[in-house]
Amino acid sequence: MATPPPSPPKKSSRSVPQRDLFQLDSPLTGEIRGERSLMAFPFFALSKNAWMKPLTYDHATVSIEVRPSASGVATIYDKEIVLYIASLMAAKVEAGEDVAQDFIFTAHDLFSVTGSNQSARSYSRLSEALERLQGTQIKTNIEAGGEGEEGFFSWLSEARLHYSKTRTGERRLKAVKVRLCDWLYRAILRDRQVLDYAAAYFQLGPIERRIYEVARSTCDGERLEIDLATFRLQIGYQNPLANFRSALKAIALANSIPDYTIELIEGAPDAEPSVAKRGRKAGAVTVVIRPKPHLLAADESIGESPAA
């Protein structure tokens, strides 16, 4: 009797049928994670709609300039794609796999992770978001992977949607292929300053998302105190300071930031009357952010030594 041929090797959980011609990096099996600098500083517009104005941040030792493409600046909602890609990359690094700058994934998995529905409008938004991520130009003096850069870069140096056609001629999205920029690739691969996100992040509004990111990247288990004007810069809020103050008061009252509480402490008002307005000047406002008790308890338990 002839010896039966050997069984074919089992396919990886990241693979797809050969007829699709794609080796997928999805599904994401770990947590959503982000690079610390992208959490701490304002690289994205706080908008759901197209933001056509340049963004700048210049404070202390950090400078950032963001220029829009014809379709606008990449928004905080477009950032979901960057977070998803960073999470795929971080999972590969932790698993000891070779990591390239190209990633191929399904829109279905991206939507599942970020909580988006599978509607035609979501697929249309995906295409628009990829266009903004590829077209937005960023310049910063923040070093990544021990290297600095002069000039501008885009979040994605390449972004493609791969379709197949049904017998009726209908297009079906098979995979999304992107190439991550050198700057972020180096930061994740070499610096390893990658932090996990709370699962509730994707249910937050734009300002709440930025407050959470700043808190997550800067608190380190301790309270953060920062004056209102500086905090507005770090959040990337573009409207007047008075509007920002009102928004923060509402957010503090709602206690809606995952893992953190926020408090506004009013300073003593200035007794001298303002030249422009009658009455006394408003005092300085300090923003105080603290980890919630359950987060502190978790940090303490991690640091405890096992019982002898």
Side-chain angles (χ1 to χ4, degrees), residues 196-199 212 216 257-261 290-295:
D196 61 288
Y197 274 67
Y212 171 79
R216 181 72 181 90
I257 307 301
D259 300 333
Y260 298 93
T261 61
R290 298 181 180 88
K292 290 181 178 177
H294 73 271
L295 194 63

Side-chain angles (χ1 to χ4, degrees), residues 42-44 53-58 62-68 73 136-142 151-155:
F43 284 96
F44 295 84
K53 299 178 182 178
L55 304 176
T56 58
Y57 175 88
D58 194 352
V62 174
S63 66
I64 298 169
E65 181 180 352
V66 183
R67 293 180 181 177
V73 169
T136 298
Q137 296 286 297
I138 307 100
K139 183 179 182 181
T140 181
N141 66 351
I142 299 174
F152 288 83
F153 63 88
S154 298
W155 297 119

Side-chain angles (χ1 to χ4, degrees), residues 135-210:
T136 298
Q137 296 286 297
I138 307 100
K139 183 179 182 181
T140 181
N141 66 351
I142 299 174
E143 295 183 353
E147 298 180 23
E149 289 188 6
E150 287 289 342
F152 288 83
F153 63 88
S154 298
W155 297 119
L156 303 176
S157 57
E158 180 180 326
R160 297 182 184 180
L161 300 176
H162 291 269
Y163 291 91
S164 65
K165 282 192 175 182
T166 65
R167 292 179 180 178
T168 60
E170 180 184 2
R171 291 201 309 174
R172 288 189 176 176
L173 181 60
K174 302 300 293 183
V176 182
K177 181 179 180 181
V178 299
R179 175 167 292 178
L180 194 61
C181 66
D182 294 345
W183 184 85
L184 187 52
Y185 175 77
R186 290 197 313 272
I188 297 172
L189 186 64
R190 300 179 189 174
D191 296 336
R192 306 291 178 93
Q193 294 292 306
V194 179
L195 302 173
D196 61 288
Y197 274 67
Y201 171 82
F202 297 110
Q203 282 73 58
L204 301 176
I207 303 175
E208 290 90 340
R209 290 188 182 201
R210 283 295 300 137

Side-chain angles (χ1 to χ4, degrees), residues 60-79:
T61 61
V62 174
S63 66
I64 298 169
E65 181 180 352
V66 183
R67 293 180 181 177
S69 67
S71 56
V73 169
T75 72
I76 194 72
Y77 293 96
D78 302 337
K79 187 178 184 177

Side-chain angles (χ1 to χ4, degrees), residues 9-299:
K10 291 183 179 180
K11 293 181 179 179
S12 165
S13 61
R14 292 180 180 271
S15 67
V16 295
Q18 188 168 343
R19 66 178 181 274
D20 290 334
L21 302 178
F22 292 117
Q23 186 76 18
L24 295 176
D25 296 300
S26 59
L28 176 66
T29 56
E31 297 175 307
I32 278 289
R33 285 173 283 185
E35 200 278 328
R36 186 185 288 268
S37 293
L38 258 64
M39 300 175 82
F41 300 106
F43 284 96
F44 295 84
L46 300 183
S47 173
K48 274 191 173 181
N49 303 315
W51 183 270
M52 305 305 298
K53 299 178 182 178
L55 304 176
T56 58
Y57 175 88
D58 194 352
H59 181 73
T61 61
V62 174
S63 66
I64 298 169
E65 181 180 352
V66 183
R67 293 180 181 177
S69 67
S71 56
V73 169
T75 72
I76 194 72
Y77 293 96
D78 302 337
K79 187 178 184 177
E80 293 178 358
I81 300 173
V82 176
L83 294 178
Y84 176 79
I85 297 167
S87 303
L88 290 174
M89 182 174 174
K92 281 190 169 188
V93 170
E94 286 187 354
E97 299 179 23
D98 292 333
V99 183
Q101 287 177 250
D102 294 326
F103 293 86
I104 303 175
F105 55 89
T106 64
H108 180 274
D109 189 53
L110 170 67
F111 295 157
S112 297
V113 169
T114 59
S116 302
N117 58 44
Q118 307 290 326
S119 67
R121 181 57 185 143
S122 292
Y123 283 90
S124 177
R125 288 195 187 105
L126 171 60
S127 179
E128 295 166 0
L130 290 171
E131 184 177 343
R132 283 189 293 268
L133 289 169
Q134 189 175 11
T136 298
Q137 296 286 297
I138 307 100
K139 183 179 182 181
T140 181
N141 66 351
I142 299 174
E143 295 183 353
E147 298 180 23
E149 289 188 6
E150 287 289 342
F152 288 83
F153 63 88
S154 298
W155 297 119
L156 303 176
S157 57
E158 180 180 326
R160 297 182 184 180
L161 300 176
H162 291 269
Y163 291 91
S164 65
K165 282 192 175 182
T166 65
R167 292 179 180 178
T168 60
E170 180 184 2
R171 291 201 309 174
R172 288 189 176 176
L173 181 60
K174 302 300 293 183
V176 182
K177 181 179 180 181
V178 299
R179 175 167 292 178
L180 194 61
C181 66
D182 294 345
W183 184 85
L184 187 52
Y185 175 77
R186 290 197 313 272
I188 297 172
L189 186 64
R190 300 179 189 174
D191 296 336
R192 306 291 178 93
Q193 294 292 306
V194 179
L195 302 173
D196 61 288
Y197 274 67
Y201 171 82
F202 297 110
Q203 282 73 58
L204 301 176
I207 303 175
E208 290 90 340
R209 290 188 182 201
R210 283 295 300 137
I211 293 173
Y212 171 79
E213 289 183 320
V214 171
R216 181 72 181 90
S217 59
T218 57
C219 275
D220 289 331
E222 301 178 358
R223 60 187 277 161
L224 169 69
E225 291 189 16
I226 186 171
D227 70 88
L228 184 69
T230 302
F231 193 54
R232 172 176 168 270
L233 289 176
Q234 195 162 1
I235 294 299
Y237 190 84
Q238 298 297 309
N239 291 327
L241 188 62
N243 296 35
F244 184 57
R245 181 177 177 178
S246 297
L248 285 189
K249 282 186 176 181
I251 292 169
L253 184 63
N255 193 24
S256 57
I257 307 301
D259 300 333
Y260 298 93
T261 61
I262 183 171
E263 180 184 4
L264 272 66
I265 299 178
E266 308 280 347
D270 192 335
E272 294 184 9
S274 169
V275 175
K277 298 180 181 180
R278 294 181 178 180
R280 297 191 297 176
K281 294 180 181 178
V285 178
T286 301
V287 180
V288 179
I289 299 177
R290 298 181 180 88
K292 290 181 178 177
H294 73 271
L295 194 63
L296 290 172
D299 288 342

